[in-house]
Amino acid sequence: MDIAIMGAGLSGLACAITLKKNGITPTIFERRSEVGDRFVNGEVLLSIFTRPVHDCIASLSEEYGIYLKPAGNIQKMELFSKNKSAIIEGHLGFTNIRGREQGSFEKQLEQQTKSKIRFNSEKTYEELLGKYSHVVIATGDGDYAKKTRNFREDFTVSIKGATVEGCFDRYSVMAWLDYDLAPYGYCFLIPFSEKEANISIAIPDLPANADVNLNNLWGFFHEKVRSQLKQELPMTDQFQITRYPIGICDAARIGNTFYVGNCFGTTLPFMGFGQYASILSGVYAAYDLCGLGKYEDLMKPLRQSYQDSLVLRRSMEQLSNKGLDLIVHTLQGYWGEKLFQTKTINPLKVASYLLRPYIKMKNRKTT
Ligand SMILES: Cc1cc2nc3c(=O)[nH]c(=O)nc-3n(C[C@H](O)[C@H](O)[C@H](O)COP(=O)(O)OP(=O)(O)OC[C@H]3O[C@@H](n4cnc5c(N)ncnc54)[C@H](O)[C@@H]3O)c2cc1C
């Protein structure tokens, strides 16, 4: 069995590590000159989105032999809507770095990868399929899945972000659900050290946002964070992504081609989280290749999380700032902590179950 992995990101490297542990050496093709050769970004792993797993770092090491050191553990989340705020405390998840920094998740995975990575190597899927018995597509977006008519794109999102310098509590993240700042979207501040944080704004490319200028919003948001934190927050690194597709594959595996990571559709539509699912998808593809499970079956819970999260996204699009104020207000205190701390229920699943009839009714009204 000759296996080619396209892409040395989270899912591709997790796949390679798991294959090697089981005695198979894949060849990894990476189009860039090094792992993580992209913008630096602070990201989060929030346990509310990884249920039933509460501590995904522990689970990755104990269950799958993938060892990752986060930048910090999140002990506090401050949530802001237009007129309300909530503070949620407890063990909420982790922050981590992505990109070209030494401690980034992709660099950490590279260190655990015992297979050769061929850099500056952008082979097409067709070329690899001609040479290898199996191809794992881990390219980080749905392009190849689209090309092979295996991808349902649900919407696209435009994102702008930057690394800012300042003085931060690295155990605390901030999120804004305020449609004046980001219509139908969200903003984050994620520290990855005491001195650096990532700020980002993401808005879905809905018809209602057609006249929205992301650069203007960005200016307002940066100003808002500066005044809230009473700091200058100079930017050291900026990025912008236009029309990032959010969608999911119809089939996780077609013949001997495996769609993993965001090429499968591991990024959750609600607020764009996908790191944990991407790593798991790489591990699961390797399990299938090693005869330890069926990829399609193993991916079912991740597929379900995507669908549940899509319901939340569609519901979010029906809300106004008034509705967001109500939600944020409700999350302050008992309910917020209950929702984020509970280990027995999956809040994403429950919320989506309760909201499904409402979304159906709205859809019926608009068609
Ligand atoms: C701005 C932003 C913020 C995010 N924030 C969060 C967050 O806070 N929490 C969270 O959980 N998730 C977050 N996500 C989502 C998360 O980053 C992704 O789900 C995850 O990185 C997907 O992993 P992957 O393996 O599919 O792709 P990646 O890790 O992106 O890896 C893809 C690799 O494939 C390579 N490649 C591409 N095309 C080719 C080709 N043709 N040949 C060879 N190599 C190729 C790329 O160079 C790259 O190295 C965020 C995403 C974005 C864009």
Side-chain angles (χ1 to χ4, degrees), residues 9-11 30-32 43-44 98 262 267 273-275 278:
L10 298 190
S11 58
E30 168 56 50
R31 75 167 171 199
R32 294 192 166 118
E43 297 194 1
V44 287
R98 297 293 309 276
N262 207 31
T267 298
F273 302 126
Q275 298 187 100
S278 296

